[in-house]
mmCIF file of all heavy atoms in Angstrom:
data_model
loop_
_atom_site.group_PDB
_atom_site.id
_atom_site.type_symbol
_atom_site.label_atom_id
_atom_site.label_comp_id
_atom_site.label_asym_id
_atom_site.label_seq_id
_atom_site.Cartn_x
_atom_site.Cartn_y
_atom_site.Cartn_z
ATOM 1 N N LEU B 122 23.342 43.230 -28.081
ATOM 2 C CA LEU B 122 23.695 42.368 -29.207
ATOM 3 C C LEU B 122 23.409 40.933 -28.787
ATOM 4 O O LEU B 122 23.823 40.512 -27.707
ATOM 5 C CB LEU B 122 25.170 42.546 -29.557
ATOM 6 C CG LEU B 122 25.684 41.713 -30.739
ATOM 7 C CD1 LEU B 122 24.999 42.138 -32.032
ATOM 8 C CD2 LEU B 122 27.191 41.837 -30.863
ATOM 9 N N GLU B 123 22.699 40.212 -29.635
ATOM 10 C CA GLU B 123 22.285 38.854 -29.267
ATOM 11 C C GLU B 123 22.675 37.862 -30.348
ATOM 12 O O GLU B 123 22.522 38.141 -31.540
ATOM 13 C CB GLU B 123 20.765 38.825 -29.057
ATOM 14 C CG GLU B 123 20.224 37.457 -28.688
ATOM 15 C CD GLU B 123 18.722 37.477 -28.439
ATOM 16 O OE1 GLU B 123 18.290 38.189 -27.517
ATOM 17 O OE2 GLU B 123 17.996 36.805 -29.186
ATOM 18 N N ALA B 124 23.172 36.721 -29.927
ATOM 19 C CA ALA B 124 23.442 35.616 -30.857
ATOM 20 C C ALA B 124 22.650 34.411 -30.379
ATOM 21 O O ALA B 124 22.617 34.103 -29.185
ATOM 22 C CB ALA B 124 24.930 35.295 -30.877
ATOM 23 N N ARG B 125 21.989 33.750 -31.318
ATOM 24 C CA ARG B 125 21.128 32.622 -30.947
ATOM 25 C C ARG B 125 21.462 31.452 -31.867
ATOM 26 O O ARG B 125 21.372 31.564 -33.096
ATOM 27 C CB ARG B 125 19.666 33.037 -31.111
ATOM 28 C CG ARG B 125 18.653 32.069 -30.541
ATOM 29 C CD ARG B 125 17.251 32.661 -30.658
ATOM 30 N NE ARG B 125 17.012 33.722 -29.709
ATOM 31 C CZ ARG B 125 16.571 33.518 -28.459
ATOM 32 N NH1 ARG B 125 16.357 32.292 -28.033
ATOM 33 N NH2 ARG B 125 16.362 34.534 -27.656
ATOM 34 N N VAL B 126 21.880 30.345 -31.284
ATOM 35 C CA VAL B 126 22.208 29.144 -32.058
ATOM 36 C C VAL B 126 21.479 27.972 -31.413
ATOM 37 O O VAL B 126 21.806 27.579 -30.288
ATOM 38 C CB VAL B 126 23.728 28.878 -32.076
ATOM 39 C CG1 VAL B 126 24.029 27.637 -32.908
ATOM 40 C CG2 VAL B 126 24.480 30.084 -32.609
ATOM 41 N N GLY B 127 20.509 27.445 -32.121
ATOM 42 C CA GLY B 127 19.749 26.325 -31.571
ATOM 43 C C GLY B 127 19.153 26.683 -30.228
ATOM 44 O O GLY B 127 18.512 27.724 -30.083
ATOM 45 N N PRO B 128 19.413 25.863 -29.209
ATOM 46 C CA PRO B 128 18.834 26.147 -27.893
ATOM 47 C C PRO B 128 19.654 27.133 -27.074
ATOM 48 O O PRO B 128 19.307 27.412 -25.930
ATOM 49 C CB PRO B 128 18.842 24.767 -27.224
ATOM 50 C CG PRO B 128 19.999 24.065 -27.825
ATOM 51 C CD PRO B 128 20.115 24.570 -29.244
ATOM 52 N N ALA B 129 20.751 27.672 -27.642
ATOM 53 C CA ALA B 129 21.625 28.553 -26.873
ATOM 54 C C ALA B 129 21.453 30.002 -27.300
ATOM 55 O O ALA B 129 21.227 30.298 -28.477
ATOM 56 C CB ALA B 129 23.076 28.132 -27.070
ATOM 57 N N VAL B 130 21.557 30.897 -26.345
ATOM 58 C CA VAL B 130 21.483 32.325 -26.635
ATOM 59 C C VAL B 130 22.557 33.026 -25.816
ATOM 60 O O VAL B 130 22.834 32.639 -24.676
ATOM 61 C CB VAL B 130 20.073 32.895 -26.328
ATOM 62 C CG1 VAL B 130 19.717 32.734 -24.859
ATOM 63 C CG2 VAL B 130 19.960 34.353 -26.735
ATOM 64 N N ALA B 131 23.206 34.029 -26.426
ATOM 65 C CA ALA B 131 24.185 34.859 -25.716
ATOM 66 C C ALA B 131 23.859 36.314 -25.988
ATOM 67 O O ALA B 131 23.548 36.680 -27.131
ATOM 68 C CB ALA B 131 25.594 34.530 -26.183
ATOM 69 N N GLN B 132 23.888 37.126 -24.954
ATOM 70 C CA GLN B 132 23.554 38.540 -25.086
ATOM 71 C C GLN B 132 24.660 39.379 -24.461
ATOM 72 O O GLN B 132 25.186 39.045 -23.409
ATOM 73 C CB GLN B 132 22.228 38.849 -24.387
ATOM 74 C CG GLN B 132 21.038 38.130 -24.999
ATOM 75 C CD GLN B 132 19.801 38.220 -24.131
ATOM 76 O OE1 GLN B 132 19.886 38.209 -22.910
ATOM 77 N NE2 GLN B 132 18.643 38.300 -24.765
ATOM 78 N N LEU B 133 24.930 40.507 -25.115
ATOM 79 C CA LEU B 133 25.929 41.443 -24.632
ATOM 80 C C LEU B 133 25.307 42.828 -24.664
ATOM 81 O O LEU B 133 24.735 43.240 -25.669
ATOM 82 C CB LEU B 133 27.158 41.389 -25.560
ATOM 83 C CG LEU B 133 28.427 42.063 -25.094
ATOM 84 C CD1 LEU B 133 28.964 41.412 -23.830
ATOM 85 C CD2 LEU B 133 29.469 42.009 -26.207
ATOM 86 N N GLY B 134 25.421 43.554 -23.552
ATOM 87 C CA GLY B 134 24.812 44.880 -23.471
ATOM 88 C C GLY B 134 23.848 44.923 -22.305
ATOM 89 O O GLY B 134 24.126 44.341 -21.253
ATOM 90 N N GLU B 135 22.709 45.621 -22.480
ATOM 91 C CA GLU B 135 21.684 45.601 -21.436
ATOM 92 C C GLU B 135 20.998 44.237 -21.446
ATOM 93 O O GLU B 135 20.469 43.812 -22.477
ATOM 94 C CB GLU B 135 20.633 46.689 -21.673
ATOM 95 C CG GLU B 135 20.873 47.950 -20.896
ATOM 96 C CD GLU B 135 21.885 48.841 -21.572
ATOM 97 O OE1 GLU B 135 21.988 48.758 -22.809
ATOM 98 O OE2 GLU B 135 22.571 49.598 -20.877
ATOM 99 N N VAL B 136 21.045 43.552 -20.316
ATOM 100 C CA VAL B 136 20.443 42.221 -20.251
ATOM 101 C C VAL B 136 19.434 42.175 -19.107
ATOM 102 O O VAL B 136 19.532 42.938 -18.140
ATOM 103 C CB VAL B 136 21.520 41.122 -20.071
ATOM 104 C CG1 VAL B 136 22.371 41.011 -21.310
ATOM 105 C CG2 VAL B 136 22.379 41.385 -18.853
#
Side-chain angles (χ1 to χ4, degrees):
Chain B
L122 181 65
E123 179 178 299
R125 190 175 286 273
V126 181
V130 61
Q132 297 168 325
L133 192 63
E135 263 82 28
V136 292

